Amino acid sequence: MKTFLLAIIYITLSTSLFCQSVIIGSILTKKGKPVAGANIYFKNTFQGTSSDASGHFSFKPILSGEQVLIASFLGYHSHEEPIVLVNDTIHFSIVLTEDKTHLNEVVITAGIFEAGDEKKSAVLSTLDMATNSQGFGDLYMALNSLPGTSTADDEGGLLVRGGERYETKTFIDGLLVESPYTTKMPSVPVRGKFSPMLFRGTIFSTGGYSAEYGQALSSALILNTTALAKDDETNIALYSSAANLTKIKKWKKISISSITQYMNMQPFYNLARSNIKWEEAPESLTETLVFRQKINQEGMLKAMGFFTSEKNSLLYPNLDTGFDDLVGNQNQNFFFLSSYKDQVGESILHTGISLNRDDTKMNVNNNGMKDLNRSAQVKLTVTNSPYEKITVKFGGDIYYKKFGREYLTDNKGTGFQWDYETINTSAFSELNIRVGNKITLRPGIRFEHLGLTKKACVSPRLSAAYQISAASQISFAYGKFTQLPEDNSLIYNTGLSCERANHLILNYQIIKDNRIFRVEAYHKKYTQLVKYNTLYATDPTTYSNAGSGYARGIDIFFRDRESIKNGDFWLAYSFIDSKRDYRDFEFRHVPGFITKHNLSLQYKHYFEKIDSYFGTNYNFASGRPYIDPNFGDSVLETKNYHNLSVSIFHFTEWFGKFTMLHIQVSNLLGFNHIFGYRFAGNTGLEGNYLSLPILPPSKRMIVFGIYICLQNQTQF
Amino acid sequence: MKKTAILILIILTFQTVFSQDTAYYSILRRSIYISNQGYSSENFLELANTCERIIALKPGEWLPHYYCAYAYINMSFIEKNTSTKDAYCKKAKDLIVKTRELNPYDSEPDVLETLLCYALMEITPMVNGPLYMPKANNALKMAKEKNPDNPRIYYLQGKSTMYIPGFMGGGKEAAIPLFQKAMELYEKFTPETDIHPSWGKSDTAKLLEKCKNTNE
């Protein structure tokens, strides 16, 4: 029938025309596979056809002479073929090459977790971060559900692979954030200061990070802020202990956003029993102003001003005196950051500048100390691809910091003051080389000069990935990392050298459909860690770089969004073996914040019909090590840690406005958590050291909130 | 092969009849006609390819952009592979932006945006559901402001209401008045030309029947 029909058509055609060419051909990929559905047509005409399932096509154009035939297909470069049409049958085949932006480049995954909506290599989406059942809106807490982090609810922040909190540095748009957390109070976990909504992409490195970044022994958290806002918007978010107001105004090429947050924990502690005797529950006011301007085709100017003021005080039992000490804290932090990114010729230029001022006043009864931390940074990076398969990134920064501390008695200055001022400069260069289609190599080198010690150091970095199959790959990362000691030591002895760490990481990853499995082994060696006799000792000779340590372990991550429709299961497990001799340790042992086994199981289900997420999260951690001076030097362990938390997010419309309701409860089953013990400095009347367990601020944490988007949602 | 032949025939017949300005009408009309013959990705791809050919020559016309987006959205619904679906939706998104630029006062680009939101939600309901539901509702609202008599608004509204459970204000019963309203408007509706959007009528009738039957 078909041929019959065709025959008739051909006859009709041939009789009605004098000049008739027939084009017969096929469309293939570089690998020789047929392309079905490619668009084949003559330039500047409507005449064309589509290739069939076997990649073949044939048609008779009513054209003559010199013409250009175009073949195009989604995800491939268009191909143009000049053809001379004469009364003839023309046979040929066209090979289409894949559009490079669609190519699956081998991405190095060793030591890297990505979150965001733009990149395919991202393990988490922005929404995952926002609806994490253990996150409570804190970026750092949400990242704690990834392997390689320690479960330490009394510490807060990110403790990565046996590293302390200060070993993880936060970078926003490439610039270092001097104080990303709220001020640490005894037994109270710190929280991140920045709203997760400010960022569109997150790279969380658990080690072996890029040469572009330095001054972090363990980990770098690289945050990229959002681009130009899409539309005017007003949002209100009300939580059980905080209120947020977001206002966004957009012009053609400029947008300005303001985020105001007020937080007060008092209402929550009025309802829930707290293990802490709060004098003033934490209270804070934060204002963030964000400015964006699009300049030319590619240029983007970003600026962000951030101000926060927080205070709280509590009664802390003093085991030696038997009375409670009044411990108070006030902090004001101002942070300004601006960056400009543009394409200059073939290169991408990225510049940035930041200013930071952080005032902290800590007092114990009538004594205390006042810290003033001022810093500024200027940074420039250039990215260029001189060859198709090679990308070069290089740049440097100048970092200025002035840190001052004053002791107070009766809340007045005592004249005991310390300060230091330093200018650190750095330069780095990194190559990204693609070898064939299966290998990516990334060698890098970082040079740093430190103003305090007037010493320079060179840190080599190398990472690589090899694609085993379309779905699986192995990656590797190695690097040397240095970091100036914490201000608490450096202020008393400015002659201290950098602390050092070497990382070695091996990673295997397989991604199929919506399942991802990755396993990573690492070894980290610490040298030149700071040692001292007592914290806050003013004698510089009691400080030295004699400490050392190691951390090694295995991290496993599995996520499955395939097996159950609308279900999202995830497992993160970390095993760590780590010992250190640093700070005031008397011998080399496991630090108190390390738990050997960490397990996080999460299941999230989206109920399409009621537009809600239901999430549940179970965390397990083995006991925390501690040393009981009543039993000599043996390292004991607390009970295992179990935590079951649930969360519900419901999306709806109130008065025609998009509304999100959510409730999150941690430790639903009410396990008693003990993070360790603290002991009196001296023996009591019965000849032993008195002790108290370190407990969480409250047994359960409950947050409920309403988020209302007052203005219309954006168009595309 | 058959389609190709038909296409050639059409080209031959109309090329000489119409001036260059309106020459694309007949080609587009034919492709729209083919795409209405069967809900298959081949038919929609044919429509998309035809539209792209027209766009290359007539970048200022909104209808080819509109239909190209429409074809890709439907291809996304039919396609099984997630990343291909994503690519189709991305393509459709750019085309809708362009369509709206060319025809900002018409309700049809907004209606199409709603359909795209549904396509995106269908790919990963978990992730895209909460993201695109408000966008879809907003696009429908905008469409209503521009032309409250566009039957496709109520057709799409009815379609999404159908799948929301009763206690949330949805369900088949709640969808009936919307489909009825859509049917009413479809009866009255006359597209500006025969290549202006007119889809949705037969599906509305089918869904209305389905809703009524389960209620009895």
Side-chain angles (χ1 to χ4, degrees):
Chain A
M1 184 63 206
K2 233 181 194 175
T3 38
F4 176 69
L5 193 78
L6 278 174
I8 290 178
I9 288 164
Y10 279 126
I11 294 160
T12 327
L13 295 183
S14 48
T15 50
S16 66
L17 287 156
F18 324 83
C19 166
Q20 188 69 67
S21 308
V22 183
I23 310 266
I24 298 172
S26 58
I27 311 279
L28 302 166
T29 65
K30 252 186 172 172
K31 283 177 181 167
K33 282 185 185 161
V35 179
N39 198 0
I40 301 126
Y41 60 101
F42 282 101
K43 203 173 184 172
N44 297 325
T45 76
F46 296 136
Q47 300 184 36
T49 186
S50 304
S51 60
D52 64 16
S54 55
H56 294 293
F57 67 91
S58 80
F59 74 117
K60 293 185 171 192
I62 33 165
L63 293 164
S64 59
E66 285 176 31
Q67 299 288 347
V68 177
L69 188 75
I70 299 176
S72 73
F73 189 63
L74 192 61
Y76 288 80
H77 285 294
S78 299
H79 178 91
E80 295 197 358
E81 182 97 18
I83 288 178
V84 180
L85 293 174
V86 279
N87 252 340
D88 205 347
T89 304
I90 305 167
H91 287 267
F92 61 91
S93 66
I94 294 171
V95 176
L96 290 180
T97 49
E98 249 182 295
D99 190 346
K100 247 185 266 163
T101 49
H102 292 263
L103 258 182
N104 290 326
E105 201 185 321
V106 192
V107 180
I108 297 168
T109 51
I112 295 168
F113 278 105
E114 275 198 87
D117 302 324
E118 283 157 26
K119 280 196 188 163
K120 281 216 157 147
S121 48
V123 176
L124 302 165
S125 72
T126 336
L127 198 76
D128 289 334
M129 302 282 285
T131 60
N132 191 297
S133 52
Q134 70 173 73
F136 294 100
D138 183 359
L139 186 74
Y140 296 91
M141 253 163 120
L143 289 171
N144 260 322
S145 52
L146 292 172
T149 55
S150 283
T151 311
D153 286 358
D154 53 330
E155 288 284 337
L158 282 171
L159 301 168
V160 180
R161 290 182 172 168
E164 287 222 40
R165 190 171 49 243
Y166 78 91
E167 294 176 26
T168 297
K169 286 279 173 77
T170 304
F171 299 89
I172 297 180
D173 291 333
L175 296 160
L176 177 71
V177 183
E178 189 69 32
S179 13
Y181 302 116
T182 55
T183 314
K184 177 83 176 107
M185 290 285 277
S187 303
V188 185
V190 300
R191 281 180 66 83
K193 282 179 182 173
F194 299 101
S195 157
M197 292 301 166
L198 287 170
F199 311 106
R200 66 165 168 182
T202 305
I203 298 173
F204 173 43
S205 155
T206 48
Y209 57 86
S210 154
E212 186 184 342
Y213 304 97
Q215 288 297 316
L217 276 186
S218 281
S219 155
L221 180 65
I222 299 152
L223 304 168
N224 287 315
T225 53
T226 49
L228 196 70
K230 282 182 183 152
D231 211 344
D232 288 357
E233 213 178 304
T234 307
N235 302 325
I236 293 178
L238 296 168
Y239 302 98
S240 38
S241 50
N244 257 359
L245 175 72
T246 307
K247 185 107 188 122
I248 300 172
K249 183 92 189 127
K250 158 143 205 245
W251 292 270
K252 203 171 174 205
K253 290 189 160 180
I254 292 175
S255 71
I256 294 176
S257 341
S258 155
I259 305 164
T260 313
Q261 188 189 56
Y262 173 75
M263 197 262 298
N264 191 332
M265 293 298 286
Q266 191 61 54
F268 172 72
Y269 289 120
N270 282 345
L271 294 171
R273 217 169 60 89
S274 181
N275 292 318
I276 290 166
K277 285 183 255 177
W278 292 103
E279 191 67 14
E280 287 172 291
E283 189 185 2
S284 72
L285 183 69
T286 307
E287 171 62 33
T288 314
L289 275 174
V290 179
F291 172 87
R292 300 283 179 262
Q293 184 174 9
K294 200 170 178 313
I295 295 168
N296 305 330
Q297 200 63 29
E298 301 285 329
M300 174 65 82
L301 177 69
K302 292 177 172 182
M304 179 172 102
F306 173 85
F307 176 79
T308 181
S309 175
E310 51 154 328
K311 64 170 186 189
N312 62 86
S313 58
L314 51 89
L315 291 168
Y316 199 60
N318 186 324
L319 291 164
D320 288 306
T321 60
F323 298 106
D324 287 343
D325 288 332
L326 175 69
V327 183
N329 157 50
Q330 284 175 34
N331 174 270
Q332 274 93 38
N333 184 198
F334 166 78
F335 182 54
F336 172 81
L337 177 143
S338 177
S339 70
Y340 180 67
K341 194 176 179 180
D342 203 353
Q343 187 152 358
V344 181
E346 293 289 293
S347 305
I348 294 166
L349 205 73
H350 196 158
T351 62
I353 181 163
S354 76
L355 292 169
N356 181 63
R357 185 192 162 107
D358 196 11
D359 287 274
T360 312
K361 196 179 149 195
M362 275 285 247
N363 59 289
V364 180
N365 300 325
N366 287 330
N367 303 320
M369 59 190 190
K370 230 169 96 176
D371 286 350
L372 175 59
N373 184 357
R374 279 169 289 187
S375 64
Q377 188 182 15
V378 187
K379 187 174 169 179
L380 171 77
T381 63
V382 179
T383 314
N384 190 317
S385 289
Y387 303 99
E388 197 190 321
K389 295 200 161 185
I390 297 176
T391 307
V392 190
K393 193 172 187 182
F394 63 92
D397 78 309
I398 300 169
Y399 195 78
Y400 168 82
K401 180 169 173 176
K402 186 171 179 177
F403 185 81
R405 171 170 285 177
E406 187 180 7
Y407 278 15
L408 307 170
T409 311
D410 293 329
N411 286 322
K412 283 197 289 280
T414 54
F416 285 104
Q417 284 180 10
W418 294 264
D419 59 40
Y420 78 80
E421 193 172 7
T422 179
I423 295 173
N424 301 334
T425 45
S426 81
F428 79 93
S429 176
E430 191 177 73
L431 284 174
N432 195 76
I433 309 164
R434 277 172 34 215
V435 185
N437 290 324
K438 294 195 177 239
I439 296 172
T440 297
L441 287 174
R442 192 182 298 150
I445 191 149
R446 185 176 177 84
F447 167 88
E448 277 175 356
H449 181 267
L450 302 170
L452 280 180
T453 49
K454 298 208 165 41
K455 267 184 199 156
C457 66
V458 175
S459 318
R461 316 268 165 94
L462 174 69
S463 49
Y466 172 72
Q467 196 169 35
I468 304 166
S469 68
S472 64
Q473 63 171 56
I474 47 170
S475 342
F476 151 92
Y478 165 81
K480 285 192 171 177
F481 301 85
T482 62
Q483 180 171 7
L484 271 169
E486 279 186 288
D487 289 330
N488 271 340
S489 314
L490 207 58
I491 191 76
Y492 305 111
N493 183 346
T494 53
L496 287 171
S497 299
C498 271
E499 298 184 311
R500 286 172 183 278
N502 287 359
H503 299 183
L504 186 65
I505 300 164
L506 204 62
N507 167 298
Y508 171 78
Q509 173 173 299
I510 180 160
I511 302 178
K512 221 164 194 178
D513 302 322
N514 272 316
R515 292 187 193 97
I516 172 166
F517 173 78
R518 52 187 271 166
V519 55
E520 197 163 288
Y522 63 91
H523 185 94
K524 183 153 73 174
K525 196 177 152 211
Y526 288 99
T527 50
Q528 296 191 18
L529 294 177
V530 169
K531 267 192 80 77
Y532 50 74
N533 297 332
T534 34
L535 189 61
Y536 303 123
T538 56
D539 180 3
T541 58
T542 59
Y543 292 86
S544 77
N545 276 107
S548 66
Y550 71 86
R552 58 190 173 211
I554 291 170
D555 294 342
I556 292 168
F557 180 73
F558 174 68
R559 187 173 183 186
D560 182 349
R561 282 175 286 182
E562 188 73 31
S563 307
I564 305 168
K565 193 181 176 252
N566 288 344
D568 181 358
F569 170 78
W570 132 352
L571 174 152
Y573 169 76
S574 321
F575 167 79
I576 179 166
D577 166 32
S578 176
K579 274 182 184 162
R580 281 183 181 208
D581 178 16
Y582 77 136
R583 300 199 159 182
D584 57 349
F585 281 23
E586 278 165 20
F587 59 100
R588 185 182 262 224
H589 59 80
V590 192
F593 58 87
I594 283 174
T595 49
K596 204 165 221 171
H597 304 278
N598 286 281
L599 177 73
S600 165
L601 292 174
Q602 246 187 66
Y603 182 73
K604 208 153 63 167
H605 198 96
Y606 179 64
F607 294 92
E608 232 174 306
K609 294 193 167 177
I610 51 169
D611 216 353
S612 301
Y613 275 110
F614 177 81
T616 174
N617 191 13
Y618 166 71
N619 273 346
F620 166 84
S622 53
R624 295 269 290 270
Y626 67 96
I627 293 176
D628 188 339
N630 296 314
F631 295 101
D633 281 346
S634 53
V635 179
L636 307 168
E637 256 181 34
T638 63
K639 278 192 308 186
N640 290 339
Y641 169 96
H642 304 272
N643 182 356
L644 183 78
S645 37
V646 290
S647 63
I648 300 167
F649 289 83
H650 173 59
F651 305 93
T652 183
E653 258 184 57
W654 278 11
F655 320 110
K657 307 293 176 198
F658 174 67
T659 305
M660 180 176 88
L661 303 169
H662 72 113
I663 180 159
Q664 299 188 57
V665 183
S666 78
N667 197 16
L668 193 70
L669 302 178
F671 290 105
N672 288 316
H673 296 151
I674 293 174
F675 302 126
Y677 296 87
R678 56 191 191 91
F679 294 89
N682 302 298
T683 48
L685 291 172
E686 278 130 42
N688 58 352
Y689 296 90
L690 290 173
S691 73
L692 269 180
I694 301 169
L695 303 169
S698 63
K699 197 171 202 171
R700 289 187 185 89
M701 185 75 197
I702 302 163
V703 169
F704 47 90
I706 308 163
Y707 168 92
I708 310 168
C709 182
L710 284 180
Q711 235 141 330
N712 289 336
Q713 280 288 306
T714 53
Q715 299 178 356
F716 290 127
Chain B
M1 200 58 203
K2 193 165 136 194
K3 271 169 271 159
T4 317
I6 291 167
L7 201 75
I8 293 162
L9 193 69
I10 298 304
I11 293 166
L12 286 173
T13 324
F14 291 95
Q15 182 83 16
T16 45
V17 178
F18 290 92
S19 72
Q20 180 73 7
D21 259 0
T22 48
Y24 84 83
Y25 274 42
S26 52
I27 306 167
L28 189 56
R29 184 186 299 117
R30 189 67 213 172
S31 273
I32 295 164
Y33 174 77
I34 291 170
S35 75
N36 285 334
Q37 294 313 299
Y39 197 76
S40 73
S41 42
E42 288 78 29
N43 288 351
F44 284 116
L45 191 72
E46 187 60 60
L47 176 59
N49 281 350
T50 307
C51 287
E52 268 175 37
R53 270 174 242 151
I54 299 168
I55 291 167
L57 221 66
K58 301 229 152 272
E61 295 288 326
W62 74 278
L63 281 167
H65 287 94
Y66 175 90
Y67 277 108
C68 199
Y70 175 68
Y72 276 113
I73 295 167
N74 281 301
M75 276 153 72
S76 166
F77 279 120
I78 298 165
E79 177 64 44
K80 290 275 178 290
N81 183 296
T82 314
S83 53
T84 313
K85 275 171 176 285
D86 273 331
Y88 287 162
C89 284
K90 196 167 176 286
K91 180 94 190 174
K93 191 168 157 177
D94 296 340
L95 285 160
I96 290 175
V97 170
K98 193 78 201 163
T99 311
R100 191 180 272 127
E101 252 176 60
L102 295 169
N103 192 17
Y105 304 111
D106 200 318
S107 61
E108 297 297 352
D110 300 327
V111 171
L112 200 57
E113 181 177 311
T114 309
L115 191 66
L116 173 61
C117 287
Y118 293 167
L120 283 160
M121 281 154 69
E122 192 254 349
I123 301 173
T124 42
M126 245 190 113
V127 179
N128 286 346
L131 270 175
Y132 289 104
M133 197 63 209
K135 278 197 167 84
N137 289 341
N138 185 53
L140 274 185
K141 216 175 82 192
M142 286 197 306
K144 234 183 239 178
E145 278 166 20
K146 288 173 189 166
N147 179 13
D149 295 332
N150 187 336
R152 275 167 291 285
I153 297 170
Y154 307 95
Y155 158 56
L156 289 182
Q157 219 173 0
K159 213 170 171 174
S160 80
T161 306
M162 246 179 97
Y163 299 105
I164 297 168
F167 67 90
M168 303 275 303
K172 289 195 172 108
E173 204 167 331
I176 291 176
L178 290 162
F179 286 136
Q180 274 167 344
K181 170 125 199 203
M183 267 331 266
E184 228 173 83
L185 290 169
Y186 272 122
E187 295 303 336
K188 280 191 244 165
F189 184 81
T190 32
E192 223 176 292
T193 69
D194 55 356
I195 56 165
H196 273 70
S198 62
W199 50 271
K201 191 177 172 181
S202 58
D203 200 29
T204 307
K206 227 184 282 168
L207 292 173
L208 182 59
E209 211 46 44
K210 200 175 156 192
C211 287
K212 279 182 173 166
N213 284 343
T214 39
N215 268 324
E216 276 156 14

